[in-house]
């Protein structure tokens, strides 16, 4: 039996959803044009007025927004409501330039938490559950989003934040946590630590996990499911569009349903900006149609994925996005080859290696070097050179370029309690 938080919306007919999106889009474009000089200027430059936008068919006429625009307009340039009506900010942990700051009215927070409640209920969550939230709190959206969603559902919420893993496990056991929310790399670390402490999945009551904020593969999903004895669900979001809960996985686990009553997705060609037909692989673009304080129209996420309207066994009619297949901006180009870390992860897990690895890219004598450090399990410490050679060959088959593989002792790669640092790029490419 599938569970819905808001069945009317989640199972709405395509026709009714389109009607709702059309109405909301027309109102939102007017709201943004009248209240955000920065975006009005972009529209004027493109020769578009709110009167030109009569339905979602006209979406392509609007200009894009990029992270660069957000930095340029920092802090208040994209605000569409008076500050006196805003009750909170959240911010991304951007590593370059100015941070991205997003604003929320109380209504924005209610709608965001509602989206997170849909994700929790899709895992079978009810008010009988104990939801342990180990995403970071503070400016990061993970903690506050799932915390609010958990409250809406009525779960007993443990607002743990990340870190202090032994205490996480103690609370998990003492309070009988049933749902775990955190990054996939931290979930794997909790699982490892649980077993190191001498416990098994019989000692905990977890049944589901909601994991996001960093890329992870199907192989990693199975690894986490085995370590913790759970079903692992994906969740997607961006601070710029509100936070986690833009899209969420159902029991079918074959992609994430996008909350289309709040966010209209498009797939574009990252080079030309042309809108691609459904089923094409390209860059994901979102338009927020219910956000009041910080409504972004046609925001380029840089995430590469595919959208599909294939019928889902869960009964939801919301369009699905596949797991992001990498980024149009942080994709690594090494010796002219496009490399996504998830490709390397797939090889490692298929060969039975640890999820703790780090990719180092450098440039020596004008040639890119690719080194991969991988932690060994104790039983893998025999004949290391032969193993390194085997792995290097498997990775070369996957990527088309040769890496240098270094098998390193357990626990020698720094653990992450937030987003795992998978790639260290030492090339000076700026």
């Amino acid at each position: 039996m599938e569970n819905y938080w808001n069945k009317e919306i989640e199972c709405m007919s395509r026709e009714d959803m389109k009607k709702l999106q059309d109405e909301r889009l027309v109102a939102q474009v007017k709201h943004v044009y009248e209240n955000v000089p920065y975006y009005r200027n972009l529209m004027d430059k493109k020769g578009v007025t709110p009167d030109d936008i009569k339905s979602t068919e006209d979406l392509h006429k609007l200009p894009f927004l990029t992270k660069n625009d957000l930095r340029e307009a920092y802090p208040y340039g994209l605000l569409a409501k008076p500050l006196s009506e805003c009750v909170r900010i959240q911010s991304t942990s951007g590593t370059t330039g100015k941070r991205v700051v997003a604003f929320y009215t109380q209504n924005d927070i209610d709608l965001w938490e509602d989206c997170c409640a849909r994700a929790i209920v899709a895992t079978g969550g009810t008010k009988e559950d104990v939801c342990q939230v180990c995403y970071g709190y503070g400016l990061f959206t993970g903690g506050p989003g799932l915390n609010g969603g958990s409250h809406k559902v009525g779960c007993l919420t443990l607002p743990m934040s990340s870190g202090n893993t032994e205490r996480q496990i103690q609370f998990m056991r003492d309070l009988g946590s049933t749902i775990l929310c955190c990054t996939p790399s931290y979930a794997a670390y909790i699982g490892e630590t649980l077993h190191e402490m001498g416990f098994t999945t019989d000692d905990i009551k977890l049944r589901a996990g909601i994991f996001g904020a960093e890329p992870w593969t199907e192989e990693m999903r199975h690894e986490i499911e085995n370590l913790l004895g759970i079903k692992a669900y994906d969740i997607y979001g961006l601070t710029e569009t509100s936070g986690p809960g833009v899209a969420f996985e159902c029991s079918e686990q074959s992609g994430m349903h996008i909350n289309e009553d709040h966010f209209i997705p498009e797939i574009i060609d990252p080079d030309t900006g042309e809108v691609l037909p459904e089923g094409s692989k390209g860059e994901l673009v979102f338009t927020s149609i219910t956000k009041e304080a910080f409504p972004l129209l046609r925001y380029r996420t840089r995430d590469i994925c595919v959208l599909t309207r294939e019928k889902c066994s869960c009964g939801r009619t919301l369009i699905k996005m596949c797991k992001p297949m990498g980024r149009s901006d942080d994709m690594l180009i090494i010796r002219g080859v496009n490399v996504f870390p998830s490709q390397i992860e797939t090889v490692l897990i298929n060969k039975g290696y640890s999820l703790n690895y780090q990719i180092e890219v450098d440039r020596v004598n004008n040639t890119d070097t690719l080194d991969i450090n991988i932690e060994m399990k104790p039983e893998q410490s025999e004949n290391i050179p032969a193993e390194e050679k085997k792995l290097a060959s498997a990775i070369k088959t996957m990527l088309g370029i040769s890496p240098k593989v270094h098998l390193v002792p357990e626990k020698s790669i720094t653990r992450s309690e937030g987003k795992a640092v998978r790639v260290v790029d030492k090339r000076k490419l700026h």
Side-chain angles (χ1 to χ4, degrees):
M1 193 199 88
E2 193 60 47
N3 307 282
Y4 309 106
W5 173 248
N6 183 336
K7 188 171 183 181
E8 188 196 343
I9 290 283
E10 293 173 57
C11 302
M12 191 178 260
S13 74
R14 183 75 215 114
E15 205 179 307
D16 289 348
M17 179 61 79
K18 173 138 181 11
K19 207 173 146 206
L20 180 66
Q21 287 182 331
D22 288 347
E23 283 167 18
R24 288 180 169 177
L25 177 66
V26 169
Q28 186 71 294
V29 171
K30 194 170 178 295
H31 169 58
V32 169
Y33 191 81
E34 287 169 3
N35 294 292
V36 184
Y38 187 96
Y39 199 75
R40 180 165 64 241
N41 182 35
L42 290 180
M43 282 175 69
D44 289 348
K45 268 190 203 157
K46 214 176 168 199
V48 194
T49 70
D51 295 339
D52 296 321
I53 310 300
K54 296 186 169 56
S55 74
T56 52
E57 262 85 58
D58 300 317
L59 195 56
H60 69 276
K61 297 175 183 173
L62 292 169
F64 291 115
L65 272 177
T66 64
K67 201 163 229 178
N68 214 34
D69 289 307
L70 271 61
R71 291 196 184 111
E72 215 170 288
Y74 173 92
Y76 299 128
L78 288 165
L79 194 58
K81 282 280 187 187
L83 264 184
S84 57
E85 288 183 39
C86 298
V87 297
R88 193 194 297 170
I89 68 150
Q90 301 283 167
S91 175
T92 62
S93 53
T95 48
T96 52
K98 294 171 181 157
R99 295 180 73 92
V100 169
V101 174
F103 297 84
Y104 300 75
T105 62
Q106 187 55 53
N107 186 53
D108 289 337
I109 287 175
D110 288 341
L111 296 182
W112 172 28
E113 291 178 348
D114 201 77
C115 287
C116 290
R118 293 181 195 180
I120 291 169
V121 171
T123 74
T126 69
K127 62 179 189 188
E128 306 300 325
D129 278 289
V130 178
C131 186
Q132 184 159 337
V133 183
C134 316
Y135 284 112
Y137 279 68
L139 289 171
F140 179 61
T141 52
L146 270 307
N147 190 87
S150 173
H151 278 224
K152 285 221 164 183
V153 175
C155 307
L156 173 64
T157 309
L158 309 188
M160 302 290 294
S161 199
S162 58
N164 204 333
T165 307
E166 294 197 359
R167 186 181 66 188
Q168 301 273 11
I169 290 166
Q170 184 194 337
F171 270 72
M172 191 179 283
R173 294 182 64 235
D174 293 350
L175 293 165
S177 304
T178 51
I179 301 174
L180 175 66
C181 307
C182 60
T183 58
S185 52
Y186 192 47
Y189 184 46
I190 289 174
E192 275 181 12
T193 309
L194 178 81
H195 293 279
E196 278 168 14
M197 289 167 74
F199 299 120
T200 70
T201 52
D202 295 339
D203 297 300
I204 54 173
K205 290 187 177 162
L206 282 186
R207 57 166 190 79
I210 300 176
F211 307 128
E214 64 186 12
W216 54 309
T217 55
E218 281 305 306
E219 291 83 3
M220 188 164 184
R221 186 206 297 270
H222 299 316
E223 182 95 354
I224 292 168
E225 288 183 335
N226 292 334
L227 279 170
L228 292 169
I230 59 171
K231 191 160 175 171
Y233 295 81
D234 209 346
I235 191 167
Y236 176 88
L238 308 137
T239 303
E240 298 92 316
T241 50
S242 66
V246 170
F248 62 92
E249 233 174 10
C250 62
S251 57
E252 192 177 275
Q253 290 181 305
S254 64
M256 291 170 276
H257 290 285
I258 294 172
N259 286 311
E260 290 183 88
D261 51 325
H262 301 298
F263 309 100
I264 302 177
E266 300 170 273
I267 293 286
I268 63 163
D269 178 318
D271 299 322
T272 64
E274 177 202 353
V275 180
L276 301 175
E278 188 199 311
S280 309
K281 179 175 162 182
E283 182 184 338
L284 184 60
V285 171
F286 277 119
T287 294
S288 300
I289 47 175
T290 52
K291 283 285 291 281
E292 295 177 338
F294 198 69
L296 300 187
L297 306 183
R298 301 199 85 203
Y299 179 67
R300 293 185 62 161
T301 66
R302 297 291 180 194
D303 283 323
I304 300 291
C305 77
V306 175
L307 297 177
T308 173
R309 285 205 179 275
E310 272 174 33
K311 208 170 172 199
C312 186
S313 61
C314 77
R316 287 179 183 81
T317 50
L318 299 169
I319 196 168
K320 269 185 179 173
M321 60 179 276
C322 71
K323 266 181 183 301
M325 301 163 169
R327 311 258 304 160
S328 65
D329 58 354
D330 12 322
M331 173 179 75
L332 291 164
I333 300 181
I334 303 171
R335 295 177 225 151
V337 175
N338 294 350
V339 172
F340 293 114
S342 57
Q343 295 171 297
I344 294 170
E345 186 169 295
T346 299
V347 173
L348 297 187
I349 295 177
N350 285 340
K351 298 280 183 199
Y353 277 84
S354 160
L355 294 174
N356 294 300
Y357 66 94
Q358 199 164 55
I359 300 161
E360 284 183 17
V361 188
D362 207 344
R363 187 160 283 175
V364 179
N365 299 330
N366 295 323
T367 302
D368 291 340
T369 60
L370 172 61
D371 288 78
I372 306 169
N373 299 314
I374 304 148
E375 283 189 3
M376 292 177 290
K377 297 171 181 169
E379 67 273 19
Q380 292 167 325
S381 55
E382 288 172 31
N383 204 351
I384 291 171
E387 275 305 302
E388 287 175 340
K389 217 169 166 180
K390 246 194 300 191
L391 268 177
S393 165
I395 291 168
K396 184 185 178 183
T397 303
M398 171 68 91
L399 303 179
I401 53 171
S402 296
K404 273 193 183 146
V405 168
H406 311 277
L407 291 174
V408 298
E410 265 195 307
K411 296 277 186 285
S412 60
I413 294 174
T414 311
R415 291 298 190 272
S416 160
E417 288 163 353
K419 293 193 187 189
V421 181
R422 294 287 190 217
V423 179
V424 179
D425 195 339
K426 297 174 176 173
R427 298 172 295 180
K428 306 283 182 279
L429 298 179
H430 304 300

